[in-house]
Amino acid sequence: MLDKEEIGKRIAFYRKEKGITQKELADSLHITYQAVSRWELGKSLPTVEMFYEISNLLNVTVDALLNENDWKNRSISYRESGLDSNRLHALKEEIMQFNSTDENILSAYYADACLFQMDTSRMREPVYSCITCVPGSKERLAKEYGYNQEVCADAAASAMNYTLQHGVSPMILKAIVICGNYDREQLCLMAQAFRRVCEKNGVSFTGMEIAAQPINYGSQEYELSATVVGVQDRDKLLTGEQVREGDVLIGIKTEGIDGTNFPFVKILLDKNPELYHAKIDTDRFFLDELMKANTAFVREIAALQEEGYLHKAFRIGNALLNHRCWQEVPEGLGVCIDLSTIPVLPLYRILFEQERIGENVFYHHFNMGIGMVVAVPEKHWEEAVSVIRRFSQCWRIGQVERGGHKGIKVWSRGRIRW
């Protein structure tokens, strides 16, 4: 025997799920809304023919209205949130083809922890490093103007450089993208960007996990991060203790701009929207230069360590004269940057010409295209420059000095030659 009250509850439930009122359902069935109300209160039942019409209007089966088991087994599917889980899993499997085929990677399945080995057999006291980096505000422009590959490479390089400043060799990289639009082509290109940076720097790529959340992210929205793990023998770590008075500072060129600079850049762009389409020269656009990925300095640091020329590496983030970059310099010593030795790259010339930031503080806001500074012994600085220039442009930009600036680790002399 049919339970009027239970069937009435189901009709009311699916009607509300459909987002229609009792009157709208009644009008579609050409009956009074009082009749619909009586069904939902369990005081009467529709006719057999009417059940079929109701099921069509509510987009459910007749069994869903009449069958108790169907009602008890109802559920919510991922598809209702806009997520096609089968398609997503197929895409994740496809993206695994970009993983490194390194014998030290034991397992890098997308839905599981990464298992890997590190050869520490020649290390007396191995020290491990782990860092996760995000692109910062740079990510906003990347999404808006389609620089998605560049921002992936930028996050990867930043994670490697955080590791390198301590003399630790980055060994593996794992990426994750949280997104609303899991477009196959775009995500494959992003995974390839991570893989290219890893291949160039001898780092194993253990994959790019995709967390598709269309319920939380719009069609073009995403957030990404890159995690790097590295290892180094404890007695080979780079600490401030190795820095000596007289050490020469060599600045190594990086591309693009640090992600933490983008609040300043956004203000400049808002004040002068023509910059979005401005040219630096006949072949290069301002926005292209701005969005280039920062450089990873794995090869440069490894080569300097191998030659025995490296006392310390300082990762320069958003500003050349940011005291936090130099906090490991020993007490009693400081670094003096000779601004007159720093070449003005076209990208920074255009930013300076906007006249929103004065000359005396400009290098407190930007790194002037220098992504890493290395301190090397004065007697070997020319050899160190030759080593670095096998991979990157670099310039002698200063020296480690003693005294005269109590409590200050970095100061400058000279002027930028605008």
Side-chain angles (χ1 to χ4, degrees):
M1 184 175 175
L2 296 177
D3 188 323
K4 296 178 184 178
E5 190 171 324
E6 288 299 317
I7 292 172
K9 288 180 182 178
R10 293 167 204 168
I11 293 173
F13 174 82
Y14 289 119
R15 174 182 59 76
K16 293 173 184 176
E17 283 282 286
K18 191 71 175 174
I20 61 178
T21 65
Q22 289 183 341
K23 186 176 187 308
E24 288 170 335
L25 178 59
D27 289 345
S28 298
L29 295 171
H30 306 293
I31 59 175
T32 65
Y33 79 89
Q34 289 92 342
V36 174
S37 176
R38 287 179 59 80
W39 298 340
E40 294 185 359
L41 292 172
K43 295 182 178 180
S44 65
L45 288 173
T47 63
V48 173
E49 294 80 6
M50 194 70 76
F51 269 118
Y52 285 101
E53 292 186 56
I54 294 169
S55 66
N56 287 332
L57 288 168
L58 301 183
N59 198 27
V60 297
T61 64
V62 173
D63 279 346
L65 297 174
L66 301 180
N67 190 296
E68 185 178 0
N69 287 331
D70 280 20
W71 172 252
K72 289 182 177 180
N73 291 327
R74 70 193 185 281
S75 65
I76 298 173
S77 69
Y78 277 118
R79 191 179 292 272
E80 291 179 67
S81 70
L83 176 64
D84 186 338
S85 56
N86 290 331
R87 179 174 162 238
L88 175 62
H89 292 152
L91 176 58
K92 290 184 177 186
E93 293 280 354
E94 182 179 0
I95 283 180
M96 283 181 64
Q97 69 177 299
F98 302 115
N99 291 11
S100 298
T101 56
D102 191 320
E103 63 181 9
N104 290 324
I105 300 175
L106 307 181
S107 175
Y109 192 66
Y110 66 81
D112 199 0
C114 175
L115 305 180
F116 58 92
Q117 295 176 315
M118 289 185 178
D119 184 5
T120 59
S121 58
R122 297 182 182 180
M123 298 182 185
R124 290 183 299 175
E125 194 175 356
V127 175
Y128 300 90
S129 166
C130 179
I131 181 78
T132 298
C133 283
V134 298
S137 303
K138 199 170 186 175
E139 196 172 60
R140 176 178 173 178
L141 276 180
K143 289 181 280 194
E144 190 172 351
Y145 288 92
Y147 291 92
N148 301 324
Q149 296 176 73
E150 288 82 358
V151 82
C152 290
D154 193 87
S158 294
M160 292 179 192
N161 290 340
Y162 270 109
T163 300
L164 290 166
Q165 69 179 343
H166 301 290
V168 176
S169 301
M171 304 296 290
I172 69 161
L173 182 146
K174 178 77 173 183
I176 183 167
V177 175
I178 309 172
C179 59
N181 175 22
Y182 46 98
D183 176 79
R184 173 191 169 277
E185 181 180 4
Q186 190 57 250
L187 288 172
C188 284
L189 289 172
M190 292 169 78
Q192 289 178 61
F194 281 118
R195 171 69 182 265
R196 280 195 299 271
V197 177
C198 289
E199 284 183 335
K200 181 178 179 180
N201 292 283
V203 175
S204 297
F205 179 49
T206 60
M208 185 181 85
E209 170 66 312
I210 306 165
Q213 299 179 11
I215 198 168
N216 293 324
Y217 293 84
S219 61
Q220 300 300 320
E221 293 180 338
Y222 62 80
E223 294 180 19
L224 63 87
S225 65
T227 298
V228 164
V229 176
V231 65
Q232 183 59 279
D233 210 341
R234 184 165 184 168
D235 62 6
K236 293 181 180 178
L237 294 176
L238 298 177
T239 67
E241 295 176 2
Q242 289 99 357
V243 176
R244 300 286 181 267
E245 181 181 3
D247 279 355
V248 170
L249 303 173
I250 302 171
I252 311 177
K253 180 186 176 184
T254 187
E255 300 286 357
I257 281 185
D258 192 78
T260 54
N261 284 130
F262 272 72
F264 304 127
V265 173
K266 185 65 169 61
I267 292 172
L268 297 179
L269 289 169
D270 288 344
K271 296 291 183 180
N272 185 5
E274 292 180 1
L275 279 177
Y276 283 104
H277 308 291
K279 278 191 170 184
I280 282 180
D281 52 36
T282 55
D283 300 317
R284 294 179 298 169
F285 283 89
F286 171 77
L287 198 56
D288 289 340
E289 292 298 305
L290 189 71
M291 294 304 298
K292 279 185 176 178
N294 277 287
T295 306
F297 302 108
V298 177
R299 297 172 300 172
E300 293 85 343
I301 298 301
L304 288 172
Q305 285 178 307
E306 186 175 343
E307 296 291 342
Y309 296 150
L310 188 59
H311 281 174
K312 186 71 178 84
F314 300 94
R315 177 191 174 273
I316 307 301
N318 61 347
L320 185 60
L321 298 185
N322 187 331
H323 68 91
R324 286 191 295 272
C325 299
W326 309 99
Q327 59 187 356
E328 289 193 74
V329 175
E331 289 299 322
L333 297 178
V335 298
C336 179
I337 305 297
D338 184 352
L339 298 175
S340 68
T341 64
I342 298 172
V344 180
L345 303 177
L347 177 62
Y348 294 90
R349 186 180 301 280
I350 287 181
L351 291 172
F352 181 71
E353 288 172 351
Q354 303 311 302
E355 298 185 340
R356 296 286 301 178
I357 302 173
E359 180 179 352
N360 291 339
V361 296
F362 194 85
Y363 12 85
H364 291 273
H365 284 75
F366 297 100
N367 62 25
M368 303 304 296
I370 294 174
M372 186 80 76
V373 174
V374 293
V376 301
E378 186 173 17
K379 65 180 179 179
H380 292 303
W381 80 267
E382 291 176 318
E383 295 98 318
V385 165
S386 297
V387 168
I388 296 168
R389 284 182 176 166
R390 299 206 305 258
F391 312 103
S392 299
Q393 286 183 267
C394 65
W395 308 274
R396 175 173 175 162
I397 64 167
Q399 202 153 4
V400 177
E401 298 181 357
R402 181 177 295 278
H405 298 271
K406 186 178 180 180
I408 299 175
K409 297 292 183 72
V410 58
W411 56 90
S412 66
R413 65 168 55 101
R415 292 181 61 186
I416 294 283
R417 296 176 182 176
W418 295 105

